[in-house]
Amino acid sequence: MVAPGARLIADCRAEPPRGPTFRANFRIKICTKPDAAAMARLRHASAPIIDQGTRDGWRKGPGVSDETEKSEAGEKPQFDPSGLKAIVLGLTSGLRRRIGGLYNHMFGKKTSGAPSPYAEKAKYKKEPGEGRAWRDFWGSAIAASTSLAMLGAAGAMAFAFIYIAPRAPENVDLWNVNRQSAIIVLDRNGEEIASRGARYGAQVNPIELPDYLIDAILSTEDRRFFDHAGVDLRGTLRAATANAKSGAVVEGGSTITQQLAKNLFLSPEQTYTRKIREALLALWLEGHYSKNEIISLYINRIYLGAGAYGVESAALTYFGKSARDVTLAEAAMLAGLPKAPSTYAPTQNPKGAERRAGEVLDNLLEANAVAPFDAREARLNPAKVIAQNTDNDLGYFFDYVAAKTRELAPSVAGDLIVKTTIDQKLQRDAEAAVKAGLTVEARLKGADQAALVAYDVDGALRAMVGGRSYKDSQFNRAAQAKRQPGSSFKPFVYVAAMEAGFTPGSRFVDRPVQFGDWAPTNYSDRYRGPVRLTEAMAQSINTVAAQVTQRVGAKKVAEAAMRFGIENVPAFRSIALGAVDVRLEEFTAAYLPFATGGLKPEPYAIEWIETRDGEKLYEFTPPPPQRVMTQAVAKNMTHMLYQVIHSGTGRRASLGRRPAAGKTGTTNDWRDAWFMGYTAQLTAGVWVGNDDYRPMDKVTGGSTPAQIWRDFMTAAHQGLPVRRLDGAYPAATYAEESSLLSFYNDVSRGLTRVTREGNPRRGRERR
């Protein structure tokens, strides 16, 4: 077969179209007397894509017989691999011909003709050789200028190749060069829940695809693909003219080979240097690969939106089928995506994708590649995109895992399979609780965002919600945002106090205090007088926490917090009220030792990472839990935190009969609201606030965050047995002790009166 676009040099004629497809509708040059060099170029352009069977495929026709190929097989192809030599020779030879013609016209010998009508010219005839010196001078000058110009052009090309052209690696595997790795994410049970990164489908041979899919791509992206050597000057000029007329970029001049060069080797930056490199690499590709190989690479490596690379992956993503089975309408939609894949992706812009598909159908009709009836049917029955996974809030966890994967397995080529600790049921419960908590009432109070993190008691991350909607904002407030925790930091103050010898029953006086220039006040601006530490924790009394920090030392409090897993805690007095920046993820993990009797497990979200070939790249081996407080201190802390939910600021978080402990937290001007808590089976933390630190309307940790925490924990514990927490029982307050003492005094006085006025006196009377 004569490859479309192959130009033979002798006695050529244009063969009319021979078939309904765009492939056959290219004007194929057929020559009656081809020379050996042309046949060598023809054989190179007709090389098979994958296997020898392709020789009988869609690139072969009756133009060249098997006998002709065999007869020419012994001749060595005269082909320059770079493609540059032929271009330079063509330019210079044409330039020499034009300059030679100009020289002959100006200074060459003229043919004799009719005598000159001018008498003076006839009267004074020139002698032989007269004026020859001037002609020789100007001829030499023009020749020298031409040589210098050609030398300058050659130098410019050499500069381009030496300093601008990128170095394409030898023996490079173009199927895998600069290929992004995909991350396939599995849940705790090994079920695939999603993938992150580039999704490449299986490699498909163009001859396996419907004709109209290849035709749609060629008619839209590069109609002269088989007629140029990588750079289409005619197409570039046409695009520049169209763009100049419209005043905007309405047509691109890059060929399919140039697009492939950009996708394989270059960045997407829009600069002239990059365009030059792109053109030079396109010449390199054309010199080293056949047209069939180039189109095969293109359709398997081009980005088509929604994370899909290649027509096979895109067809599966958008239509749930192989690219081998797409309809004409679906093929038109796929072919319209390379221009702007993110803009026309049907998952994001279905109407725009449908309009773009209509333009592709117009291109097919213009190229006479489809019948008008088929095009009309495709317009009347446009492609239907399958329903995508609408569980978008899992995206926060996927992004978190992808970042962790890059840390644990850096610079690994190929796709990665990552088994995580996520529990799909708990994740759905968390998402539902966050959405239910951010009610219209809460948002009217200025609470626009919320985040939730939940850990199992062994440190496995079971649920993560980074915001109200991943679709609206991909910023993960659970893992990326650093906010002050307010009073939810106080448990670490009281850990230091327990370790310094205080007990939950230790008494302090709730009163105005001042330490230097710092004078902390209570949330209610009221003071309760003498209280126990259990009551100070339950009612979140700021003045007592400040006094405790002053007694034990801010350094001890900071050391305790960092021992539990909080990073970079400053030893300031104000840390008593949570004046330290934390991430919800690390802050929730720091509460784990309260639920585990003082043992700190290593928090983790990834169990193992391996390649598609089964090579294990990473596997989490849990280290022995670190004891960060004694069992006695852990029991006292649970006893104090239990009072918060039982009778304190966190009553909305109560789980009924199931023992639970936790702490509320609210920062100045109600900018952040927290609830951190745990049961014997699960530890969870909730944050509510705004990304721009805008104050809320009196949203405290005991309101919306406590409600979200309760809803999640209630759903998460369905079907789980009720387990006790050591230390989770009610405590008597200092005020209750006074009442009990007064009661017992009254009872004692009553008994005394009965003794004096009762039986003893009556007994004496009987005597």
Side-chain angles (χ1 to χ4, degrees):
M1 168 191 174
V2 176
R7 290 177 293 180
L8 309 185
I9 62 176
D11 208 3
C12 296
R13 61 185 176 82
E15 183 187 19
R18 296 181 298 172
T21 66
F22 189 74
R23 299 164 183 162
N25 284 330
F26 285 109
R27 290 286 181 176
I28 304 175
K29 299 296 184 180
I30 304 295
C31 301
T32 58
K33 299 177 181 179
D35 63 351
M39 289 303 301
R41 290 196 299 273
L42 176 60
R43 285 198 305 274
H44 179 82
S46 302
I49 301 174
I50 304 292
D51 51 35
Q52 188 67 22
T54 309
R55 186 179 298 275
D56 299 325
W58 59 271
R59 297 302 179 211
K60 183 173 180 181
V64 175
S65 66
D66 293 338
E67 290 74 10
T68 304
E69 292 180 343
K70 292 177 181 178
S71 65
E72 296 293 336
E75 299 187 17
K76 183 178 180 180
Q78 302 297 317
F79 182 73
D80 177 32
S82 69
L84 179 64
K85 182 178 179 181
I87 295 174
V88 173
L89 290 177
L91 291 174
T92 54
S93 62
L95 185 62
R96 284 199 302 268
R97 286 196 302 272
R98 285 169 174 75
I99 293 176
L102 178 63
Y103 176 83
N104 291 333
H105 177 73
M106 296 177 61
F107 308 109
K109 183 177 180 180
K110 295 182 174 59
T111 58
S112 60
S116 172
Y118 298 101
E120 290 296 323
K121 193 169 185 178
K123 181 178 179 180
Y124 303 103
K125 296 183 178 180
K126 292 184 178 181
E127 296 296 331
E130 184 179 353
R132 183 183 180 118
W134 283 105
R135 289 197 300 271
D136 290 346
F137 170 76
W138 286 111
S140 300
I142 291 176
S145 300
T146 302
S147 299
L148 289 174
M150 293 174 62
L151 185 61
M157 290 185 179
F159 172 82
F161 267 86
I162 294 174
Y163 294 101
I164 297 179
R167 303 296 182 266
E170 293 296 331
N171 302 320
V172 63
D173 181 8
L174 295 187
W175 293 103
N176 294 307
V177 64
N178 292 332
R179 174 172 171 169
Q180 300 180 29
S181 297
I183 300 177
I184 295 92
V185 180
L186 312 179
D187 68 359
R188 64 180 297 186
N189 299 316
E191 179 182 346
E192 180 176 341
I193 50 179
S195 62
R196 268 290 176 263
R199 294 194 303 275
Y200 290 89
Q203 294 179 12
V204 291
N205 192 320
I207 63 174
E208 301 173 356
L209 300 175
D211 286 349
Y212 46 71
L213 177 54
I214 299 296
D215 294 340
I217 293 173
L218 294 177
S219 65
T220 302
E221 294 298 322
D222 190 357
R223 297 190 184 188
R224 301 186 66 251
F225 174 68
F226 294 102
D227 290 329
H228 60 67
V231 179
D232 186 8
L233 299 179
R234 185 190 306 176
T236 302
L237 181 61
R238 181 183 66 250
T241 303
N243 295 338
K245 288 181 179 179
S246 64
V249 179
V250 296
E251 185 175 345
S254 294
T255 64
I256 279 179
T257 314
Q258 287 177 269
Q259 294 180 48
L260 180 62
K262 180 184 70 173
N263 292 334
L264 294 180
F265 301 111
L266 302 175
S267 66
E269 60 178 345
Q270 298 293 329
T271 63
Y272 290 111
T273 302
R274 199 269 293 164
K275 291 295 293 183
I276 294 174
R277 291 178 174 175
E278 176 185 293
L280 295 173
L281 279 170
L283 295 174
W284 181 87
L285 286 171
E286 292 278 350
H288 286 74
Y289 298 90
S290 69
K291 289 288 187 180
N292 289 351
E293 290 173 315
I294 290 172
I295 191 64
S296 181
L297 283 165
Y298 179 81
I299 64 173
N300 283 284
R301 290 295 304 265
I302 191 68
Y303 180 57
L304 297 174
Y309 286 78
V311 293
E312 180 71 3
S313 177
L316 291 171
T317 299
Y318 298 133
F319 312 124
K321 63 175 69 172
S322 170
R324 302 172 180 85
D325 304 321
V326 295
T327 64
L328 176 58
E330 293 166 345
M333 185 169 288
L334 292 176
L337 294 175
K339 179 180 179 180
S342 298
T343 301
Y344 292 120
T347 52
Q348 300 294 328
N349 183 10
K351 292 298 182 182
E354 190 172 326
R355 287 193 299 269
R356 178 64 176 160
E359 296 174 5
V360 174
L361 291 173
D362 291 338
N363 294 335
L364 285 168
L365 287 171
E366 183 179 338
N368 195 27
V370 296
F373 175 80
D374 295 333
R376 184 175 66 86
E377 287 298 311
R379 294 183 198 275
L380 294 176
N381 301 282
K384 302 296 183 183
V385 180
I386 62 174
Q388 304 294 309
N389 182 10
T390 58
D391 205 3
N392 291 323
D393 292 334
L394 274 169
Y396 293 116
F397 179 72
F398 295 156
D399 291 343
Y400 175 79
V401 166
K404 291 287 186 183
T405 301
R406 285 190 289 269
E407 295 176 5
L408 297 172
S411 304
V412 177
D415 298 340
L416 301 177
I417 300 174
V418 183
K419 185 181 180 184
T420 69
T421 60
I422 200 72
D423 185 296
Q424 291 196 64
K425 192 264 182 185
L426 296 185
Q427 179 67 26
R428 289 191 295 269
D429 293 339
E431 294 168 7
V434 168
K435 285 181 171 61
L438 292 177
T439 60
V440 174
E441 180 182 358
R443 300 190 67 182
L444 287 175
K445 291 183 177 181
D448 286 342
Q449 290 292 347
L452 185 151
V453 170
Y455 285 97
D456 210 338
V457 291
D458 64 354
L461 181 64
R462 297 305 187 195
M464 173 181 282
V465 179
R468 177 166 49 87
S469 170
Y470 181 79
K471 182 179 180 181
D472 294 340
S473 171
Q474 288 77 52
F475 179 67
N476 191 341
R477 296 151 192 86
Q480 295 174 288
K482 283 195 169 186
R483 309 297 285 258
Q484 291 193 354
S487 293
S488 57
F489 185 84
K490 288 177 181 175
F492 305 103
V493 173
Y494 292 113
V495 165
M498 299 297 108
E499 293 175 342
F502 292 93
T503 68
S506 297
R507 301 178 182 180
F508 282 79
V509 179
D510 178 17
R511 58 183 175 82
V513 294
Q514 182 164 353
F515 306 102
D517 57 354
W518 184 50
T521 59
N522 291 329
Y523 173 79
S524 62
D525 290 328
R526 294 186 294 105
Y527 302 96
R528 291 176 172 81
V531 293
R532 289 177 179 266
L533 290 186
T534 51
E535 187 177 1
M537 177 78 86
Q539 303 303 326
S540 196
I541 301 175
N542 292 340
T543 61
V544 174
Q547 293 177 63
V548 170
T549 301
Q550 185 68 17
R551 294 275 294 274
V552 302
K555 184 178 180 181
K556 292 291 186 182
V557 175
E559 290 175 353
M562 289 188 288
R563 192 168 68 242
F564 276 62
I566 302 175
E567 300 176 352
N568 303 322
V569 181
F572 301 147
R573 293 191 186 101
S574 57
I575 63 171
L577 306 184
V580 57
D581 292 333
V582 297
R583 292 177 290 110
L584 178 61
E585 170 209 3
E586 67 166 338
F587 197 49
T588 306
Y591 266 70
L592 283 170
F594 298 128
T596 58
L599 295 175
K600 177 182 178 293
E602 183 71 20
Y604 67 104
I606 295 176
E607 294 189 15
W608 49 256
I609 303 171
E610 66 180 23
T611 65
R612 281 192 179 274
D613 298 330
E615 179 186 358
K616 195 79 71 175
L617 302 176
Y618 166 82
E619 186 169 11
F620 176 74
T621 302
Q626 178 186 359
R627 180 161 291 282
V628 295
M629 60 181 169
T630 65
Q631 286 184 318
V633 171
K635 180 178 180 180
N636 287 338
M637 291 305 304
T638 294
H639 179 65
M640 297 172 68
L641 290 169
Y642 175 82
Q643 315 310 316
V644 175
I645 294 178
H646 180 261
S647 58
T649 57
R651 288 188 295 273
R652 284 193 182 183
S654 175
L655 300 180
R657 292 180 53 251
R658 188 179 299 274
K663 185 69 186 76
T664 58
T666 309
T667 60
N668 292 342
D669 299 324
W670 301 279
R671 298 179 188 275
D672 303 278
W674 302 71
F675 190 87
M676 315 296 297
Y678 58 92
T679 65
Q681 292 126 316
L682 207 59
T683 299
V686 176
W687 167 86
V688 173
N690 297 301
D691 293 338
D692 57 1
Y693 292 90
R694 187 174 68 255
M696 296 177 287
D697 184 12
K698 297 184 179 181
V699 176
T700 66
S703 58
T704 302
Q707 177 184 337
I708 294 174
W709 187 90
R710 180 200 64 203
D711 291 346
F712 166 70
M713 295 293 271
T714 299
H717 285 82
Q718 285 183 354
L720 297 181
V722 176
R723 292 182 181 172
R724 63 182 295 272
L725 277 173
D726 195 15
Y729 56 87
T733 65
Y734 190 88
E736 289 173 342
E737 274 194 348
S738 300
S739 300
L740 286 174
L741 182 59
S742 176
F743 170 75
Y744 287 131
N745 287 334
D746 291 342
V747 171
S748 177
R749 285 192 295 269
L751 289 175
T752 301
R753 191 167 50 252
V754 169
T755 301
R756 291 176 180 175
E757 300 175 357
N759 293 334
R761 181 173 300 177
R762 289 199 297 271
R764 286 193 296 268
E765 291 176 351
R766 283 196 297 270
R767 288 189 186 96

